[in-house]
Amino acid sequence: MSKDSTALGSEHFAYITAHTTPEDRLLAELRTAAAAAGLPAIHIAAEQAAFLQILLALCKARDVVEVGTLGGYSAIAMARALPPGGKVRTIEFEPKHAEFARAWIARSDVNDRVEVLLGDGRQVLPTLAGDSADAIFIDADKQGYPTYLQQGLRIVRRGGLIMADNALAFGELLDGSSRDASVLAIRKFNDLVAATAGLRAVIVPLGDGCWVGIRQ
Ligand code: MG
């Protein structure tokens, strides 16, 4: 994602960034190191991380599932919103990314609260118990989103949070000429979420757009 914010103009984005709890040194260093290591620059935005932390604290989350660890940025951020004994189980398909994330989690202040599960979300999620999480954050391959949502609705307890990144499809959501498979997948996913019974959800236009829903 080349832009800092898909939906906001640069002036509003700069203002919001200047007035949002900033990322700390560790997360800033992680972002830089991830770029140097050749990881794709698709970590969530700092203001998204602050927003996720507030949501998790509000619902008193203890157990969080994440699909798509990448470099561990969002897992570390979310783990910091949990009480002692809380846990983020984060699933990563790419071994190189999982290795990078584990190294940075190990040097973070929440090493005991994050577990990286190496594998495909399609295989790993069905192994997690029903009603075993307070929240799920989906931020992996877009074609897999419908499966991750279905599993999330099983794994997250009633009243828990269902969150998914990139609802605005990298700025190409409304570009009718786009043939990008991820963009087409997000369009279908957005229609699916809007039609899913038992889920009260809204697209929040921070970063590249983030679905936030409550399992009812
Ligand atoms: Mg994303």
Side-chain angles (χ1 to χ4, degrees), residues 7 9-10 13 22 34 40 43 46 57 59 78 99 120 125 135 139 141-142 159 173 182 193 195 201 207-208 216:
S10 57
F13 174 74
H43 294 88
C59 83
M78 291 193 291
E99 184 184 349
D120 187 331
L125 287 171
D139 191 16
D141 65 292
K142 308 313 166 196
L173 185 66
S182 294
V193 176
D208 186 38
Q216 297 183 298

mmCIF file of all heavy atoms in Angstrom, residues 7 9-10 13 22 34 40 43 46 57 59 78 99 120 125 135 139 141-142 159 173 182 193 195 201 207-208 216:
data_model
loop_
_atom_site.group_PDB
_atom_site.id
_atom_site.type_symbol
_atom_site.label_atom_id
_atom_site.label_comp_id
_atom_site.label_asym_id
_atom_site.label_seq_id
_atom_site.Cartn_x
_atom_site.Cartn_y
_atom_site.Cartn_z
ATOM 1 N N ALA A 7 -8.795 6.170 2.501
ATOM 2 C CA ALA A 7 -10.013 6.988 2.399
ATOM 3 C C ALA A 7 -9.792 8.450 2.729
ATOM 4 O O ALA A 7 -10.555 9.311 2.293
ATOM 5 C CB ALA A 7 -11.088 6.411 3.323
ATOM 6 N N GLY A 9 -7.867 12.165 2.885
ATOM 7 C CA GLY A 9 -6.911 13.010 2.203
ATOM 8 C C GLY A 9 -5.672 13.198 3.066
ATOM 9 O O GLY A 9 -5.702 12.950 4.274
ATOM 10 N N SER A 10 -4.572 13.639 2.462
ATOM 11 C CA SER A 10 -3.305 13.710 3.187
ATOM 12 C C SER A 10 -3.362 14.682 4.366
ATOM 13 O O SER A 10 -2.725 14.457 5.405
ATOM 14 C CB SER A 10 -2.171 14.095 2.235
ATOM 15 O OG SER A 10 -2.466 15.324 1.614
ATOM 16 N N PHE A 13 -5.239 13.028 7.170
ATOM 17 C CA PHE A 13 -4.431 11.922 7.691
ATOM 18 C C PHE A 13 -3.318 12.455 8.591
ATOM 19 O O PHE A 13 -3.076 11.935 9.686
ATOM 20 C CB PHE A 13 -3.821 11.110 6.545
ATOM 21 C CG PHE A 13 -2.873 10.070 7.048
ATOM 22 C CD1 PHE A 13 -3.353 8.925 7.672
ATOM 23 C CD2 PHE A 13 -1.493 10.241 6.949
ATOM 24 C CE1 PHE A 13 -2.478 7.971 8.183
ATOM 25 C CE2 PHE A 13 -0.625 9.295 7.449
ATOM 26 C CZ PHE A 13 -1.116 8.161 8.063
ATOM 27 N N PRO A 22 1.024 7.586 19.421
ATOM 28 C CA PRO A 22 1.977 7.114 18.405
ATOM 29 C C PRO A 22 2.482 5.705 18.696
ATOM 30 O O PRO A 22 2.364 5.212 19.824
ATOM 31 C CB PRO A 22 3.120 8.128 18.505
ATOM 32 C CG PRO A 22 3.074 8.605 19.921
ATOM 33 C CD PRO A 22 1.633 8.566 20.346
ATOM 34 N N ALA A 34 11.501 -4.843 9.140
ATOM 35 C CA ALA A 34 10.715 -5.689 8.239
ATOM 36 C C ALA A 34 10.944 -5.282 6.785
ATOM 37 O O ALA A 34 11.093 -6.131 5.906
ATOM 38 C CB ALA A 34 9.233 -5.588 8.598
ATOM 39 N N PRO A 40 6.790 -7.639 2.864
ATOM 40 C CA PRO A 40 5.936 -6.627 2.237
ATOM 41 C C PRO A 40 5.518 -5.546 3.228
ATOM 42 O O PRO A 40 5.268 -5.844 4.401
ATOM 43 C CB PRO A 40 4.717 -7.426 1.758
ATOM 44 C CG PRO A 40 4.877 -8.814 2.225
ATOM 45 C CD PRO A 40 6.221 -8.975 2.842
ATOM 46 N N HIS A 43 2.029 -3.836 6.933
ATOM 47 C CA HIS A 43 1.591 -3.842 8.327
ATOM 48 C C HIS A 43 0.445 -2.855 8.509
ATOM 49 O O HIS A 43 0.332 -1.891 7.760
ATOM 50 C CB HIS A 43 2.745 -3.445 9.257
ATOM 51 C CG HIS A 43 3.869 -4.424 9.275
ATOM 52 N ND1 HIS A 43 4.914 -4.372 8.379
ATOM 53 C CD2 HIS A 43 4.095 -5.494 10.054
ATOM 54 C CE1 HIS A 43 5.746 -5.367 8.620
ATOM 55 N NE2 HIS A 43 5.269 -6.064 9.633
ATOM 56 N N ALA A 46 -0.291 2.743 12.301
ATOM 57 C CA ALA A 46 -0.172 2.988 13.744
ATOM 58 C C ALA A 46 -1.509 3.392 14.346
ATOM 59 O O ALA A 46 -1.856 2.967 15.453
ATOM 60 C CB ALA A 46 0.878 4.061 13.994
ATOM 61 N N ALA A 57 -9.553 -3.537 24.680
ATOM 62 C CA ALA A 57 -9.684 -3.172 26.098
ATOM 63 C C ALA A 57 -11.156 -3.012 26.468
ATOM 64 O O ALA A 57 -11.593 -3.442 27.540
ATOM 65 C CB ALA A 57 -8.910 -1.887 26.373
ATOM 66 N N CYS A 59 -13.774 -4.501 25.248
ATOM 67 C CA CYS A 59 -14.502 -5.770 25.381
ATOM 68 C C CYS A 59 -13.783 -6.709 26.357
ATOM 69 O O CYS A 59 -14.130 -7.876 26.447
ATOM 70 C CB CYS A 59 -14.761 -6.424 24.029
ATOM 71 S SG CYS A 59 -13.433 -7.390 23.350
ATOM 72 N N MET A 78 -1.710 -5.764 19.689
ATOM 73 C CA MET A 78 -2.939 -6.288 20.307
ATOM 74 C C MET A 78 -2.637 -6.916 21.669
ATOM 75 O O MET A 78 -3.417 -6.751 22.620
ATOM 76 C CB MET A 78 -3.619 -7.291 19.378
ATOM 77 C CG MET A 78 -4.207 -6.645 18.130
ATOM 78 S SD MET A 78 -5.340 -7.747 17.217
ATOM 79 C CE MET A 78 -4.198 -8.981 16.597
ATOM 80 N N GLU A 99 9.281 -16.582 11.260
ATOM 81 C CA GLU A 99 10.586 -16.528 11.940
ATOM 82 C C GLU A 99 10.919 -15.094 12.355
ATOM 83 O O GLU A 99 11.366 -14.835 13.482
ATOM 84 C CB GLU A 99 11.662 -17.075 10.997
ATOM 85 C CG GLU A 99 13.036 -17.165 11.607
ATOM 86 C CD GLU A 99 14.091 -17.615 10.599
ATOM 87 O OE1 GLU A 99 13.718 -18.043 9.491
ATOM 88 O OE2 GLU A 99 15.277 -17.517 10.914
ATOM 89 N N ASP A 120 -1.444 -22.737 7.350
ATOM 90 C CA ASP A 120 -2.516 -22.114 6.567
ATOM 91 C C ASP A 120 -3.739 -21.947 7.458
ATOM 92 O O ASP A 120 -4.183 -22.906 8.104
ATOM 93 C CB ASP A 120 -2.832 -23.033 5.380
ATOM 94 C CG ASP A 120 -3.825 -22.408 4.404
ATOM 95 O OD1 ASP A 120 -4.672 -21.594 4.839
ATOM 96 O OD2 ASP A 120 -3.750 -22.725 3.210
ATOM 97 N N LEU A 125 -7.286 -22.825 11.753
ATOM 98 C CA LEU A 125 -8.480 -22.316 12.448
ATOM 99 C C LEU A 125 -9.426 -23.437 12.879
ATOM 100 O O LEU A 125 -9.947 -23.401 14.004
ATOM 101 C CB LEU A 125 -9.211 -21.289 11.571
ATOM 102 C CG LEU A 125 -8.532 -19.925 11.445
ATOM 103 C CD1 LEU A 125 -9.234 -19.074 10.391
ATOM 104 C CD2 LEU A 125 -8.499 -19.193 12.778
ATOM 105 N N ALA A 135 -11.906 -12.240 20.396
ATOM 106 C CA ALA A 135 -11.784 -11.423 19.190
ATOM 107 C C ALA A 135 -10.947 -12.154 18.156
ATOM 108 O O ALA A 135 -10.087 -12.964 18.497
ATOM 109 C CB ALA A 135 -11.129 -10.078 19.528
ATOM 110 N N ASP A 139 -6.284 -10.631 8.578
ATOM 111 C CA ASP A 139 -5.433 -9.746 7.766
ATOM 112 C C ASP A 139 -4.456 -10.600 6.964
ATOM 113 O O ASP A 139 -3.248 -10.449 7.075
ATOM 114 C CB ASP A 139 -4.688 -8.759 8.680
ATOM 115 C CG ASP A 139 -3.999 -7.657 7.881
ATOM 116 O OD1 ASP A 139 -4.331 -7.480 6.698
ATOM 117 O OD2 ASP A 139 -3.137 -6.978 8.464
ATOM 118 N N ASP A 141 -4.358 -13.524 3.213
ATOM 119 C CA ASP A 141 -4.756 -13.582 1.803
ATOM 120 C C ASP A 141 -6.252 -13.312 1.664
ATOM 121 O O ASP A 141 -7.066 -13.873 2.409
ATOM 122 C CB ASP A 141 -4.395 -14.947 1.211
ATOM 123 C CG ASP A 141 -5.185 -16.064 1.872
ATOM 124 O OD1 ASP A 141 -4.934 -16.322 3.072
ATOM 125 O OD2 ASP A 141 -6.072 -16.631 1.222
ATOM 126 N N LYS A 142 -6.602 -12.454 0.744
ATOM 127 C CA LYS A 142 -7.995 -11.985 0.678
ATOM 128 C C LYS A 142 -8.953 -13.070 0.181
ATOM 129 O O LYS A 142 -10.132 -13.060 0.562
ATOM 130 C CB LYS A 142 -8.093 -10.731 -0.210
ATOM 131 C CG LYS A 142 -7.112 -9.619 0.171
ATOM 132 C CD LYS A 142 -7.079 -9.323 1.674
ATOM 133 C CE LYS A 142 -5.893 -8.470 2.079
ATOM 134 N NZ LYS A 142 -5.627 -8.494 3.535
ATOM 135 N N GLY A 159 -20.801 -11.655 21.592
ATOM 136 C CA GLY A 159 -20.376 -10.375 22.139
ATOM 137 C C GLY A 159 -18.928 -10.052 21.845
ATOM 138 O O GLY A 159 -18.448 -8.983 22.192
ATOM 139 N N LEU A 173 -11.169 -0.362 -4.486
ATOM 140 C CA LEU A 173 -12.504 -0.912 -4.223
ATOM 141 C C LEU A 173 -13.523 -0.451 -5.269
ATOM 142 O O LEU A 173 -14.327 -1.241 -5.757
ATOM 143 C CB LEU A 173 -12.968 -0.486 -2.818
ATOM 144 C CG LEU A 173 -14.290 -1.062 -2.347
ATOM 145 C CD1 LEU A 173 -14.190 -2.564 -2.160
ATOM 146 C CD2 LEU A 173 -14.729 -0.396 -1.048
ATOM 147 N N SER A 182 -7.175 -9.924 -5.473
ATOM 148 C CA SER A 182 -7.419 -9.530 -4.084
ATOM 149 C C SER A 182 -8.530 -8.479 -3.997
ATOM 150 O O SER A 182 -9.348 -8.505 -3.078
ATOM 151 C CB SER A 182 -6.140 -8.983 -3.452
ATOM 152 O OG SER A 182 -5.179 -10.009 -3.348
ATOM 153 N N VAL A 193 -20.053 -9.939 4.331
ATOM 154 C CA VAL A 193 -20.170 -9.447 5.714
ATOM 155 C C VAL A 193 -21.493 -8.708 5.896
ATOM 156 O O VAL A 193 -22.216 -8.922 6.870
ATOM 157 C CB VAL A 193 -18.996 -8.517 6.073
ATOM 158 C CG1 VAL A 193 -19.192 -7.938 7.472
ATOM 159 C CG2 VAL A 193 -17.677 -9.273 6.010
ATOM 160 N N ALA A 195 -24.161 -9.165 4.505
ATOM 161 C CA ALA A 195 -25.322 -10.061 4.448
ATOM 162 C C ALA A 195 -25.272 -11.144 5.527
ATOM 163 O O ALA A 195 -26.136 -12.020 5.555
ATOM 164 C CB ALA A 195 -25.380 -10.718 3.065
ATOM 165 N N ALA A 201 -21.857 -4.963 12.058
ATOM 166 C CA ALA A 201 -20.514 -4.593 11.608
ATOM 167 C C ALA A 201 -20.499 -3.263 10.868
ATOM 168 O O ALA A 201 -21.498 -2.832 10.293
ATOM 169 C CB ALA A 201 -19.951 -5.687 10.706
ATOM 170 N N GLY A 207 -6.528 3.578 8.032
ATOM 171 C CA GLY A 207 -5.626 2.751 7.229
ATOM 172 C C GLY A 207 -6.276 2.422 5.892
ATOM 173 O O GLY A 207 -6.788 3.304 5.194
ATOM 174 N N ASP A 208 -6.307 1.136 5.533
ATOM 175 C CA ASP A 208 -6.963 0.712 4.301
ATOM 176 C C ASP A 208 -8.381 0.218 4.571
ATOM 177 O O ASP A 208 -8.926 -0.569 3.826
ATOM 178 C CB ASP A 208 -6.129 -0.395 3.627
ATOM 179 C CG ASP A 208 -6.686 -0.773 2.256
ATOM 180 O OD1 ASP A 208 -7.148 0.137 1.539
ATOM 181 O OD2 ASP A 208 -6.670 -1.960 1.920
ATOM 182 N N GLN A 216 -23.223 -11.486 17.439
ATOM 183 C CA GLN A 216 -24.415 -11.374 18.276
ATOM 184 C C GLN A 216 -24.995 -12.732 18.630
ATOM 185 O O GLN A 216 -24.604 -13.730 18.074
ATOM 186 C CB GLN A 216 -25.457 -10.524 17.554
ATOM 187 C CG GLN A 216 -24.943 -9.103 17.346
ATOM 188 C CD GLN A 216 -25.966 -8.211 16.708
ATOM 189 O OE1 GLN A 216 -26.399 -8.445 15.590
ATOM 190 N NE2 GLN A 216 -26.362 -7.169 17.421
#
